[in-house]
Amino acid sequence: MDALEPHHRDKFEEFKSITGIENDSDDDKIVQLLTIHDFNLNNAISTYFDSGFDSIGNSSSVNVHDEDDSHLTHRHTEHHPLSLMPRQSEAVNLQHQMFFDSFLPKLPKAPIIPTGWQLEVGIHTSIIEDRLRRERQEEEEEEKLKEDINEATESIHSNESASGRSPLNTIWIILLIIPKTILNVVLSAFRFLFGWGVLKTSHSKIPSSFNYDKFIPNYKFLPKLKEDGDGSLLDSFVFHEDNFNEVHQVTQKEYRWLLVVLVNDSVESNNFLHALIGHPDFGKLFNKDTGLFKETEVFVNNIDKSPEAFQVAQTYRAKRIPYLMLVGNISASPEIMPSMSILYKSNLSSPFVTDDELPVTTNKLLKNLAKLLDRFNPQLVSARFDKQEMDISRQIREEQDNAYLRSLEQDKVKKEIKMQEQHAKKLAEQRTNLRHFYLLRLLQTKYIESNVLDEDSETKCKIALKLPNGKRIVELFNGEISLLEFYMYIELKLYLEQQEVELDAIEELIDQLDLDDDTKHSIQDIKDYYDQYSFKFDIIQPYPKKVIHLEDFEQCIKDIAEFSKGANFLIEFNDDDDDDDNEEEESE
């Protein structure tokens, strides 16, 4: 303990004070425990409270740090190298583990491409359209010039035939032809002398900028590829020729592989592409139905014709064409967060894509791809399963939420229906009670005796009535009453018979009705009553049989022929009466 440095001695003393160790015989063990944890006081105290000094026995020897390299700890053991793997009883320094993980080489990032090329395409598309329009105009002018020359030649020939051949005319014709020939000869000599076109550039190198002289608007590479090769073979893979960023995002979200193959106009690169796609191992790996890695998306295009493909080559710093690249949402280690990274890329120079070397090149490429795919594909498979589980969990939550919302909506609808039913029932009860109230009030005020059967009336009509229950009534009616009052008399008689109302208990029955004052006064007279409650019976004259309809309800009964002296009527309920009675019984 005397060999400890001052700052280590401070941590030693602090360890003893926190843990409460007073026995000096444990000092060596405390020093060993602190040394194992690089004098990290928190880790050492945590280990002590978890297992005491037992963790010291898991290491046979410990190397104390140097001053210049105090942040690394090398632990040696007498066991097999496999014993270096952390065990439950062994203390693991997570800070060191993260430190050593930082030394792992990281895979190159695979970004999306900039979209500035789209602006260039728009500009050059308009330029090409203007150029084509000018070329058409120049062709038309050349055709017109040729026609003028032919006309002049024909006129000269006609003059020569008439006056003989003239040397000047012949020289004139030669001068019309010679300038173009002389110009071609001069240009050829100039190229030969200064080396233009003598040194051929390599077809495999990528130019610094896209040559828009070769640009074809709306160029499609896959149809041409199908014409040159086996179209049915190409249908066996998931090919893309444009929208690189969209394909990139799909492969990132769906955890799929992205294979990029870029070619140019050279014969070698196109031969390489056909040889690669037609190789049996390519189908075994990437066939969309039977391939080992059938989830692979293949992006292929010509950088000499497609500005987007050229932008892909520039973004990923391709040096030569053909260019092959494998991209995936992976990491160098499963413990590291994955991202879109370049797993493999190959810049093939011309000697490797010759007819002799092409089979060997494709075999090596596919072999390397197969090894890397076998190594890193478990990451994508695991990520896809995790994504599926998350999607299923999210779908289940959404279904549960939707079911809960539907349940709430159903409960709301049921509650509204119940409230409507309760409101309708309340209105029906109120309507029934109002009818009872009005009829009882008429009986209380002796409406029949004071109006219908007025004995002081000079005009009287003797009428016999037979009620639906068979009871017969014969009364002298006041002839001045209206037909509506006569109907009201029958309504009161039927009410007395149906409800079995005792005249002495009318006031008590009125008090039992639950009605507010506004509702009670909503019916002012029998006309209001008739508007709200239609009569549920018919007055029928037996012979000749005739129904006394309530058409002119203000007409006096004395003025109606059927109400002459000795009139007999049958009272019968109409069809709606039974339903109304049932409703009243339910409301009661």
Side-chain angles (χ1 to χ4, degrees), residues 252-257 295 329-331 334-336 338 373-391:
Q252 181 180 9
K253 293 179 180 179
E254 301 297 331
Y255 296 97
R256 300 178 184 176
W257 291 109
E295 297 84 6
N329 193 1
I330 56 174
S331 61
E335 288 79 14
I336 301 175
L373 288 169
D374 287 335
R375 178 183 173 185
F376 287 91
N377 192 60
Q379 289 190 33
L380 294 186
V381 174
S382 176
R384 280 198 293 269
F385 277 113
D386 293 341
K387 183 177 181 298
Q388 289 178 358
E389 291 180 358
M390 293 175 62
D391 292 341

PDB file of all heavy atoms in Angstrom, residues 252-257 295 329-331 334-336 338 373-391:
ATOM      1  N   GLN A 252     -33.472   0.552 -46.865  1.00  0.00           N
ATOM      2  CA  GLN A 252     -33.129   0.920 -45.490  1.00  0.00           C
ATOM      3  C   GLN A 252     -34.269   0.583 -44.530  1.00  0.00           C
ATOM      4  O   GLN A 252     -34.042   0.003 -43.460  1.00  0.00           O
ATOM      5  CB  GLN A 252     -32.787   2.407 -45.417  1.00  0.00           C
ATOM      6  CG  GLN A 252     -32.397   2.878 -44.019  1.00  0.00           C
ATOM      7  CD  GLN A 252     -32.065   4.354 -43.988  1.00  0.00           C
ATOM      8  OE1 GLN A 252     -32.274   5.070 -44.961  1.00  0.00           O
ATOM      9  NE2 GLN A 252     -31.541   4.824 -42.876  1.00  0.00           N
ATOM     10  N   LYS A 253     -35.480   0.922 -44.905  1.00  0.00           N
ATOM     11  CA  LYS A 253     -36.620   0.687 -44.014  1.00  0.00           C
ATOM     12  C   LYS A 253     -36.993  -0.783 -43.944  1.00  0.00           C
ATOM     13  O   LYS A 253     -37.387  -1.273 -42.889  1.00  0.00           O
ATOM     14  CB  LYS A 253     -37.819   1.508 -44.496  1.00  0.00           C
ATOM     15  CG  LYS A 253     -37.632   3.010 -44.354  1.00  0.00           C
ATOM     16  CD  LYS A 253     -38.856   3.753 -44.870  1.00  0.00           C
ATOM     17  CE  LYS A 253     -38.677   5.262 -44.739  1.00  0.00           C
ATOM     18  NZ  LYS A 253     -39.856   5.998 -45.272  1.00  0.00           N
ATOM     19  N   GLU A 254     -36.888  -1.487 -45.080  1.00  0.00           N
ATOM     20  CA  GLU A 254     -37.293  -2.892 -45.121  1.00  0.00           C
ATOM     21  C   GLU A 254     -36.144  -3.852 -44.849  1.00  0.00           C
ATOM     22  O   GLU A 254     -36.337  -5.062 -44.916  1.00  0.00           O
ATOM     23  CB  GLU A 254     -37.912  -3.212 -46.484  1.00  0.00           C
ATOM     24  CG  GLU A 254     -39.128  -2.366 -46.836  1.00  0.00           C
ATOM     25  CD  GLU A 254     -40.277  -2.585 -45.885  1.00  0.00           C
ATOM     26  OE1 GLU A 254     -40.381  -3.704 -45.326  1.00  0.00           O
ATOM     27  OE2 GLU A 254     -41.069  -1.643 -45.688  1.00  0.00           O
ATOM     28  N   TYR A 255     -34.951  -3.309 -44.570  1.00  0.00           N
ATOM     29  CA  TYR A 255     -33.777  -4.124 -44.270  1.00  0.00           C
ATOM     30  C   TYR A 255     -33.511  -5.140 -45.383  1.00  0.00           C
ATOM     31  O   TYR A 255     -33.449  -6.343 -45.157  1.00  0.00           O
ATOM     32  CB  TYR A 255     -33.951  -4.832 -42.917  1.00  0.00           C
ATOM     33  CG  TYR A 255     -34.047  -3.878 -41.762  1.00  0.00           C
ATOM     34  CD1 TYR A 255     -35.287  -3.489 -41.259  1.00  0.00           C
ATOM     35  CD2 TYR A 255     -32.905  -3.332 -41.195  1.00  0.00           C
ATOM     36  CE1 TYR A 255     -35.368  -2.588 -40.199  1.00  0.00           C
ATOM     37  CE2 TYR A 255     -32.986  -2.432 -40.132  1.00  0.00           C
ATOM     38  CZ  TYR A 255     -34.222  -2.071 -39.644  1.00  0.00           C
ATOM     39  OH  TYR A 255     -34.297  -1.179 -38.607  1.00  0.00           O
ATOM     40  N   ARG A 256     -33.328  -4.608 -46.586  1.00  0.00           N
ATOM     41  CA  ARG A 256     -32.995  -5.426 -47.744  1.00  0.00           C
ATOM     42  C   ARG A 256     -31.609  -5.041 -48.241  1.00  0.00           C
ATOM     43  O   ARG A 256     -31.078  -3.981 -47.927  1.00  0.00           O
ATOM     44  CB  ARG A 256     -34.025  -5.216 -48.866  1.00  0.00           C
ATOM     45  CG  ARG A 256     -35.439  -5.583 -48.476  1.00  0.00           C
ATOM     46  CD  ARG A 256     -36.390  -5.290 -49.630  1.00  0.00           C
ATOM     47  NE  ARG A 256     -37.777  -5.550 -49.274  1.00  0.00           N
ATOM     48  CZ  ARG A 256     -38.802  -5.311 -50.073  1.00  0.00           C
ATOM     49  NH1 ARG A 256     -38.602  -4.778 -51.268  1.00  0.00           N
ATOM     50  NH2 ARG A 256     -40.030  -5.574 -49.684  1.00  0.00           N
ATOM     51  N   TRP A 257     -31.044  -5.912 -49.078  1.00  0.00           N
ATOM     52  CA  TRP A 257     -29.767  -5.615 -49.714  1.00  0.00           C
ATOM     53  C   TRP A 257     -29.994  -4.776 -50.970  1.00  0.00           C
ATOM     54  O   TRP A 257     -31.001  -4.933 -51.650  1.00  0.00           O
ATOM     55  CB  TRP A 257     -29.035  -6.900 -50.085  1.00  0.00           C
ATOM     56  CG  TRP A 257     -28.543  -7.703 -48.924  1.00  0.00           C
ATOM     57  CD1 TRP A 257     -29.031  -8.893 -48.487  1.00  0.00           C
ATOM     58  CD2 TRP A 257     -27.466  -7.362 -48.047  1.00  0.00           C
ATOM     59  NE1 TRP A 257     -28.348  -9.326 -47.387  1.00  0.00           N
ATOM     60  CE2 TRP A 257     -27.361  -8.405 -47.093  1.00  0.00           C
ATOM     61  CE3 TRP A 257     -26.591  -6.288 -47.949  1.00  0.00           C
ATOM     62  CZ2 TRP A 257     -26.422  -8.395 -46.081  1.00  0.00           C
ATOM     63  CZ3 TRP A 257     -25.637  -6.280 -46.949  1.00  0.00           C
ATOM     64  CH2 TRP A 257     -25.562  -7.325 -46.029  1.00  0.00           C
ATOM     65  N   GLU A 295     -34.414 -10.963 -51.217  1.00  0.00           N
ATOM     66  CA  GLU A 295     -34.894  -9.626 -50.882  1.00  0.00           C
ATOM     67  C   GLU A 295     -33.999  -8.529 -51.448  1.00  0.00           C
ATOM     68  O   GLU A 295     -34.174  -7.352 -51.133  1.00  0.00           O
ATOM     69  CB  GLU A 295     -34.985  -9.452 -49.365  1.00  0.00           C
ATOM     70  CG  GLU A 295     -35.966 -10.373 -48.665  1.00  0.00           C
ATOM     71  CD  GLU A 295     -35.359 -11.726 -48.359  1.00  0.00           C
ATOM     72  OE1 GLU A 295     -34.141 -11.891 -48.602  1.00  0.00           O
ATOM     73  OE2 GLU A 295     -36.086 -12.621 -47.891  1.00  0.00           O
ATOM     74  N   ASN A 329     -28.307  -2.027 -44.631  1.00  0.00           N
ATOM     75  CA  ASN A 329     -28.507  -1.347 -43.345  1.00  0.00           C
ATOM     76  C   ASN A 329     -27.900  -2.211 -42.237  1.00  0.00           C
ATOM     77  O   ASN A 329     -28.594  -2.875 -41.468  1.00  0.00           O
ATOM     78  CB  ASN A 329     -30.001  -1.121 -43.105  1.00  0.00           C
ATOM     79  CG  ASN A 329     -30.258  -0.168 -41.961  1.00  0.00           C
ATOM     80  OD1 ASN A 329     -29.335   0.351 -41.338  1.00  0.00           O
ATOM     81  ND2 ASN A 329     -31.514   0.075 -41.663  1.00  0.00           N
ATOM     82  N   ILE A 330     -26.571  -2.178 -42.176  1.00  0.00           N
ATOM     83  CA  ILE A 330     -25.836  -3.072 -41.279  1.00  0.00           C
ATOM     84  C   ILE A 330     -24.766  -2.268 -40.557  1.00  0.00           C
ATOM     85  O   ILE A 330     -24.599  -1.077 -40.764  1.00  0.00           O
ATOM     86  CB  ILE A 330     -25.185  -4.231 -42.073  1.00  0.00           C
ATOM     87  CG1 ILE A 330     -24.299  -3.643 -43.172  1.00  0.00           C
ATOM     88  CG2 ILE A 330     -26.242  -5.148 -42.648  1.00  0.00           C
ATOM     89  CD1 ILE A 330     -23.500  -4.676 -43.930  1.00  0.00           C
ATOM     90  N   SER A 331     -24.006  -2.972 -39.698  1.00  0.00           N
ATOM     91  CA  SER A 331     -22.869  -2.382 -38.998  1.00  0.00           C
ATOM     92  C   SER A 331     -21.769  -3.421 -38.910  1.00  0.00           C
ATOM     93  O   SER A 331     -22.006  -4.623 -39.129  1.00  0.00           O
ATOM     94  CB  SER A 331     -23.275  -1.907 -37.599  1.00  0.00           C
ATOM     95  OG  SER A 331     -23.731  -3.003 -36.825  1.00  0.00           O
ATOM     96  N   PRO A 334     -22.667  -6.397 -34.380  1.00  0.00           N
ATOM     97  CA  PRO A 334     -24.089  -6.339 -33.991  1.00  0.00           C
ATOM     98  C   PRO A 334     -24.348  -5.413 -32.816  1.00  0.00           C
ATOM     99  O   PRO A 334     -25.481  -4.959 -32.627  1.00  0.00           O
ATOM    100  CB  PRO A 334     -24.406  -7.798 -33.621  1.00  0.00           C
ATOM    101  CG  PRO A 334     -23.383  -8.609 -34.352  1.00  0.00           C
ATOM    102  CD  PRO A 334     -22.155  -7.775 -34.370  1.00  0.00           C
ATOM    103  N   GLU A 335     -23.295  -5.117 -32.016  1.00  0.00           N
ATOM    104  CA  GLU A 335     -23.483  -4.229 -30.878  1.00  0.00           C
ATOM    105  C   GLU A 335     -23.566  -2.761 -31.280  1.00  0.00           C
ATOM    106  O   GLU A 335     -23.936  -1.906 -30.463  1.00  0.00           O
ATOM    107  CB  GLU A 335     -22.341  -4.401 -29.871  1.00  0.00           C
ATOM    108  CG  GLU A 335     -22.383  -5.709 -29.086  1.00  0.00           C
ATOM    109  CD  GLU A 335     -21.864  -6.876 -29.908  1.00  0.00           C
ATOM    110  OE1 GLU A 335     -21.242  -6.597 -30.969  1.00  0.00           O
ATOM    111  OE2 GLU A 335     -22.060  -8.038 -29.514  1.00  0.00           O
ATOM    112  N   ILE A 336     -23.197  -2.450 -32.530  1.00  0.00           N
ATOM    113  CA  ILE A 336     -23.198  -1.070 -33.006  1.00  0.00           C
ATOM    114  C   ILE A 336     -24.491  -0.794 -33.760  1.00  0.00           C
ATOM    115  O   ILE A 336     -25.005  -1.667 -34.477  1.00  0.00           O
ATOM    116  CB  ILE A 336     -21.973  -0.817 -33.908  1.00  0.00           C
ATOM    117  CG1 ILE A 336     -20.676  -1.106 -33.127  1.00  0.00           C
ATOM    118  CG2 ILE A 336     -21.958   0.607 -34.417  1.00  0.00           C
ATOM    119  CD1 ILE A 336     -19.428  -0.997 -33.957  1.00  0.00           C
ATOM    120  N   PRO A 338     -26.915  -0.033 -36.498  1.00  0.00           N
ATOM    121  CA  PRO A 338     -26.737  -0.177 -37.952  1.00  0.00           C
ATOM    122  C   PRO A 338     -27.135   1.088 -38.702  1.00  0.00           C
ATOM    123  O   PRO A 338     -27.922   1.900 -38.222  1.00  0.00           O
ATOM    124  CB  PRO A 338     -27.664  -1.343 -38.302  1.00  0.00           C
ATOM    125  CG  PRO A 338     -28.733  -1.305 -37.272  1.00  0.00           C
ATOM    126  CD  PRO A 338     -28.051  -0.826 -36.014  1.00  0.00           C
ATOM    127  N   LEU A 373     -22.346 -11.805 -47.758  1.00  0.00           N
ATOM    128  CA  LEU A 373     -23.781 -11.926 -47.491  1.00  0.00           C
ATOM    129  C   LEU A 373     -24.041 -12.958 -46.405  1.00  0.00           C
ATOM    130  O   LEU A 373     -24.905 -12.753 -45.537  1.00  0.00           O
ATOM    131  CB  LEU A 373     -24.517 -12.294 -48.776  1.00  0.00           C
ATOM    132  CG  LEU A 373     -24.619 -11.182 -49.825  1.00  0.00           C
ATOM    133  CD1 LEU A 373     -25.127 -11.753 -51.147  1.00  0.00           C
ATOM    134  CD2 LEU A 373     -25.526 -10.069 -49.357  1.00  0.00           C
ATOM    135  N   ASP A 374     -23.348 -14.064 -46.450  1.00  0.00           N
ATOM    136  CA  ASP A 374     -23.516 -15.080 -45.402  1.00  0.00           C
ATOM    137  C   ASP A 374     -23.130 -14.532 -44.034  1.00  0.00           C
ATOM    138  O   ASP A 374     -23.728 -14.898 -43.017  1.00  0.00           O
ATOM    139  CB  ASP A 374     -22.662 -16.307 -45.723  1.00  0.00           C
ATOM    140  CG  ASP A 374     -23.233 -17.129 -46.869  1.00  0.00           C
ATOM    141  OD1 ASP A 374     -24.461 -17.045 -47.089  1.00  0.00           O
ATOM    142  OD2 ASP A 374     -22.466 -17.830 -47.549  1.00  0.00           O
ATOM    143  N   ARG A 375     -22.148 -13.660 -44.008  1.00  0.00           N
ATOM    144  CA  ARG A 375     -21.671 -13.137 -42.729  1.00  0.00           C
ATOM    145  C   ARG A 375     -22.594 -12.079 -42.151  1.00  0.00           C
ATOM    146  O   ARG A 375     -22.880 -12.080 -40.943  1.00  0.00           O
ATOM    147  CB  ARG A 375     -20.267 -12.558 -42.910  1.00  0.00           C
ATOM    148  CG  ARG A 375     -19.696 -11.944 -41.642  1.00  0.00           C
ATOM    149  CD  ARG A 375     -18.343 -11.331 -41.923  1.00  0.00           C
ATOM    150  NE  ARG A 375     -17.854 -10.580 -40.759  1.00  0.00           N
ATOM    151  CZ  ARG A 375     -16.741  -9.856 -40.756  1.00  0.00           C
ATOM    152  NH1 ARG A 375     -15.996  -9.773 -41.860  1.00  0.00           N
ATOM    153  NH2 ARG A 375     -16.378  -9.203 -39.667  1.00  0.00           N
ATOM    154  N   PHE A 376     -23.080 -11.174 -43.005  1.00  0.00           N
ATOM    155  CA  PHE A 376     -23.829 -10.023 -42.498  1.00  0.00           C
ATOM    156  C   PHE A 376     -25.343 -10.159 -42.665  1.00  0.00           C
ATOM    157  O   PHE A 376     -26.077  -9.345 -42.107  1.00  0.00           O
ATOM    158  CB  PHE A 376     -23.370  -8.744 -43.209  1.00  0.00           C
ATOM    159  CG  PHE A 376     -22.020  -8.269 -42.774  1.00  0.00           C
ATOM    160  CD1 PHE A 376     -20.874  -8.685 -43.437  1.00  0.00           C
ATOM    161  CD2 PHE A 376     -21.888  -7.420 -41.696  1.00  0.00           C
ATOM    162  CE1 PHE A 376     -19.627  -8.250 -43.038  1.00  0.00           C
ATOM    163  CE2 PHE A 376     -20.643  -6.972 -41.287  1.00  0.00           C
ATOM    164  CZ  PHE A 376     -19.493  -7.396 -41.954  1.00  0.00           C
ATOM    165  N   ASN A 377     -25.809 -11.147 -43.429  1.00  0.00           N
ATOM    166  CA  ASN A 377     -27.254 -11.272 -43.636  1.00  0.00           C
ATOM    167  C   ASN A 377     -28.025 -11.534 -42.346  1.00  0.00           C
ATOM    168  O   ASN A 377     -29.171 -11.085 -42.223  1.00  0.00           O
ATOM    169  CB  ASN A 377     -27.546 -12.379 -44.648  1.00  0.00           C
ATOM    170  CG  ASN A 377     -28.973 -12.358 -45.121  1.00  0.00           C
ATOM    171  OD1 ASN A 377     -29.446 -11.378 -45.695  1.00  0.00           O
ATOM    172  ND2 ASN A 377     -29.690 -13.437 -44.874  1.00  0.00           N
ATOM    173  N   PRO A 378     -27.441 -12.270 -41.351  1.00  0.00           N
ATOM    174  CA  PRO A 378     -28.200 -12.444 -40.093  1.00  0.00           C
ATOM    175  C   PRO A 378     -28.621 -11.130 -39.448  1.00  0.00           C
ATOM    176  O   PRO A 378     -29.666 -11.073 -38.795  1.00  0.00           O
ATOM    177  CB  PRO A 378     -27.213 -13.225 -39.217  1.00  0.00           C
ATOM    178  CG  PRO A 378     -26.390 -14.002 -40.180  1.00  0.00           C
ATOM    179  CD  PRO A 378     -26.227 -13.102 -41.364  1.00  0.00           C
ATOM    180  N   GLN A 379     -27.820 -10.073 -39.615  1.00  0.00           N
ATOM    181  CA  GLN A 379     -28.230  -8.778 -39.062  1.00  0.00           C
ATOM    182  C   GLN A 379     -29.531  -8.295 -39.695  1.00  0.00           C
ATOM    183  O   GLN A 379     -30.442  -7.845 -38.997  1.00  0.00           O
ATOM    184  CB  GLN A 379     -27.131  -7.740 -39.299  1.00  0.00           C
ATOM    185  CG  GLN A 379     -25.884  -7.931 -38.457  1.00  0.00           C
ATOM    186  CD  GLN A 379     -24.942  -6.747 -38.572  1.00  0.00           C
ATOM    187  OE1 GLN A 379     -25.384  -5.611 -38.732  1.00  0.00           O
ATOM    188  NE2 GLN A 379     -23.644  -7.002 -38.493  1.00  0.00           N
ATOM    189  N   LEU A 380     -29.613  -8.397 -41.042  1.00  0.00           N
ATOM    190  CA  LEU A 380     -30.827  -7.955 -41.724  1.00  0.00           C
ATOM    191  C   LEU A 380     -32.007  -8.859 -41.390  1.00  0.00           C
ATOM    192  O   LEU A 380     -33.135  -8.374 -41.217  1.00  0.00           O
ATOM    193  CB  LEU A 380     -30.598  -7.922 -43.235  1.00  0.00           C
ATOM    194  CG  LEU A 380     -29.591  -6.888 -43.750  1.00  0.00           C
ATOM    195  CD1 LEU A 380     -29.584  -6.880 -45.271  1.00  0.00           C
ATOM    196  CD2 LEU A 380     -29.919  -5.509 -43.239  1.00  0.00           C
ATOM    197  N   VAL A 381     -31.755 -10.165 -41.323  1.00  0.00           N
ATOM    198  CA  VAL A 381     -32.853 -11.084 -40.988  1.00  0.00           C
ATOM    199  C   VAL A 381     -33.396 -10.777 -39.603  1.00  0.00           C
ATOM    200  O   VAL A 381     -34.619 -10.702 -39.389  1.00  0.00           O
ATOM    201  CB  VAL A 381     -32.359 -12.546 -41.079  1.00  0.00           C
ATOM    202  CG1 VAL A 381     -33.436 -13.500 -40.583  1.00  0.00           C
ATOM    203  CG2 VAL A 381     -31.980 -12.893 -42.511  1.00  0.00           C
ATOM    204  N   SER A 382     -32.474 -10.587 -38.640  1.00  0.00           N
ATOM    205  CA  SER A 382     -32.907 -10.250 -37.282  1.00  0.00           C
ATOM    206  C   SER A 382     -33.662  -8.924 -37.259  1.00  0.00           C
ATOM    207  O   SER A 382     -34.697  -8.800 -36.578  1.00  0.00           O
ATOM    208  CB  SER A 382     -31.683 -10.185 -36.367  1.00  0.00           C
ATOM    209  OG  SER A 382     -32.054  -9.784 -35.070  1.00  0.00           O
ATOM    210  N   ALA A 383     -33.146  -7.948 -38.012  1.00  0.00           N
ATOM    211  CA  ALA A 383     -33.822  -6.646 -38.052  1.00  0.00           C
ATOM    212  C   ALA A 383     -35.202  -6.761 -38.697  1.00  0.00           C
ATOM    213  O   ALA A 383     -36.156  -6.091 -38.269  1.00  0.00           O
ATOM    214  CB  ALA A 383     -32.967  -5.643 -38.816  1.00  0.00           C
ATOM    215  N   ARG A 384     -35.303  -7.598 -39.737  1.00  0.00           N
ATOM    216  CA  ARG A 384     -36.622  -7.775 -40.379  1.00  0.00           C
ATOM    217  C   ARG A 384     -37.613  -8.423 -39.426  1.00  0.00           C
ATOM    218  O   ARG A 384     -38.791  -8.035 -39.375  1.00  0.00           O
ATOM    219  CB  ARG A 384     -36.471  -8.618 -41.646  1.00  0.00           C
ATOM    220  CG  ARG A 384     -35.975  -7.844 -42.845  1.00  0.00           C
ATOM    221  CD  ARG A 384     -36.265  -8.578 -44.130  1.00  0.00           C
ATOM    222  NE  ARG A 384     -35.509  -9.808 -44.253  1.00  0.00           N
ATOM    223  CZ  ARG A 384     -34.324  -9.916 -44.831  1.00  0.00           C
ATOM    224  NH1 ARG A 384     -33.736  -8.850 -45.345  1.00  0.00           N
ATOM    225  NH2 ARG A 384     -33.701 -11.073 -44.904  1.00  0.00           N
ATOM    226  N   PHE A 385     -37.140  -9.413 -38.668  1.00  0.00           N
ATOM    227  CA  PHE A 385     -38.038 -10.045 -37.702  1.00  0.00           C
ATOM    228  C   PHE A 385     -38.447  -9.054 -36.610  1.00  0.00           C
ATOM    229  O   PHE A 385     -39.614  -9.021 -36.187  1.00  0.00           O
ATOM    230  CB  PHE A 385     -37.373 -11.269 -37.073  1.00  0.00           C
ATOM    231  CG  PHE A 385     -37.479 -12.514 -37.904  1.00  0.00           C
ATOM    232  CD1 PHE A 385     -36.359 -13.088 -38.474  1.00  0.00           C
ATOM    233  CD2 PHE A 385     -38.708 -13.111 -38.135  1.00  0.00           C
ATOM    234  CE1 PHE A 385     -36.453 -14.230 -39.254  1.00  0.00           C
ATOM    235  CE2 PHE A 385     -38.821 -14.256 -38.915  1.00  0.00           C
ATOM    236  CZ  PHE A 385     -37.686 -14.821 -39.478  1.00  0.00           C
ATOM    237  N   ASP A 386     -37.478  -8.257 -36.159  1.00  0.00           N
ATOM    238  CA  ASP A 386     -37.826  -7.240 -35.160  1.00  0.00           C
ATOM    239  C   ASP A 386     -38.836  -6.248 -35.724  1.00  0.00           C
ATOM    240  O   ASP A 386     -39.782  -5.843 -35.028  1.00  0.00           O
ATOM    241  CB  ASP A 386     -36.563  -6.502 -34.715  1.00  0.00           C
ATOM    242  CG  ASP A 386     -35.610  -7.403 -33.930  1.00  0.00           C
ATOM    243  OD1 ASP A 386     -36.075  -8.442 -33.438  1.00  0.00           O
ATOM    244  OD2 ASP A 386     -34.417  -7.060 -33.838  1.00  0.00           O
ATOM    245  N   LYS A 387     -38.636  -5.870 -36.975  1.00  0.00           N
ATOM    246  CA  LYS A 387     -39.572  -4.938 -37.608  1.00  0.00           C
ATOM    247  C   LYS A 387     -40.956  -5.575 -37.754  1.00  0.00           C
ATOM    248  O   LYS A 387     -41.985  -4.925 -37.541  1.00  0.00           O
ATOM    249  CB  LYS A 387     -39.050  -4.510 -38.975  1.00  0.00           C
ATOM    250  CG  LYS A 387     -39.916  -3.484 -39.687  1.00  0.00           C
ATOM    251  CD  LYS A 387     -39.288  -3.066 -40.995  1.00  0.00           C
ATOM    252  CE  LYS A 387     -40.159  -2.008 -41.697  1.00  0.00           C
ATOM    253  NZ  LYS A 387     -41.491  -2.529 -42.029  1.00  0.00           N
ATOM    254  N   GLN A 388     -40.965  -6.863 -38.129  1.00  0.00           N
ATOM    255  CA  GLN A 388     -42.254  -7.541 -38.240  1.00  0.00           C
ATOM    256  C   GLN A 388     -42.959  -7.597 -36.898  1.00  0.00           C
ATOM    257  O   GLN A 388     -44.177  -7.378 -36.811  1.00  0.00           O
ATOM    258  CB  GLN A 388     -42.043  -8.948 -38.800  1.00  0.00           C
ATOM    259  CG  GLN A 388     -41.645  -8.988 -40.266  1.00  0.00           C
ATOM    260  CD  GLN A 388     -41.392 -10.399 -40.765  1.00  0.00           C
ATOM    261  OE1 GLN A 388     -41.486 -11.361 -39.987  1.00  0.00           O
ATOM    262  NE2 GLN A 388     -41.057 -10.536 -42.030  1.00  0.00           N
ATOM    263  N   GLU A 389     -42.190  -7.901 -35.851  1.00  0.00           N
ATOM    264  CA  GLU A 389     -42.800  -7.931 -34.517  1.00  0.00           C
ATOM    265  C   GLU A 389     -43.325  -6.557 -34.127  1.00  0.00           C
ATOM    266  O   GLU A 389     -44.419  -6.440 -33.551  1.00  0.00           O
ATOM    267  CB  GLU A 389     -41.769  -8.419 -33.506  1.00  0.00           C
ATOM    268  CG  GLU A 389     -41.402  -9.900 -33.660  1.00  0.00           C
ATOM    269  CD  GLU A 389     -40.373 -10.344 -32.643  1.00  0.00           C
ATOM    270  OE1 GLU A 389     -39.929  -9.476 -31.854  1.00  0.00           O
ATOM    271  OE2 GLU A 389     -40.018 -11.528 -32.630  1.00  0.00           O
ATOM    272  N   MET A 390     -42.539  -5.528 -34.441  1.00  0.00           N
ATOM    273  CA  MET A 390     -43.001  -4.170 -34.133  1.00  0.00           C
ATOM    274  C   MET A 390     -44.232  -3.811 -34.946  1.00  0.00           C
ATOM    275  O   MET A 390     -45.182  -3.210 -34.420  1.00  0.00           O
ATOM    276  CB  MET A 390     -41.876  -3.179 -34.418  1.00  0.00           C
ATOM    277  CG  MET A 390     -40.685  -3.309 -33.481  1.00  0.00           C
ATOM    278  SD  MET A 390     -39.312  -2.218 -33.937  1.00  0.00           S
ATOM    279  CE  MET A 390     -40.092  -0.620 -33.761  1.00  0.00           C
ATOM    280  N   ASP A 391     -44.229  -4.212 -36.232  1.00  0.00           N
ATOM    281  CA  ASP A 391     -45.401  -3.935 -37.066  1.00  0.00           C
ATOM    282  C   ASP A 391     -46.622  -4.686 -36.545  1.00  0.00           C
ATOM    283  O   ASP A 391     -47.736  -4.133 -36.516  1.00  0.00           O
ATOM    284  CB  ASP A 391     -45.120  -4.326 -38.514  1.00  0.00           C
ATOM    285  CG  ASP A 391     -44.077  -3.430 -39.166  1.00  0.00           C
ATOM    286  OD1 ASP A 391     -43.860  -2.325 -38.639  1.00  0.00           O
ATOM    287  OD2 ASP A 391     -43.484  -3.841 -40.179  1.00  0.00           O
TER     288      ASP A 391
END
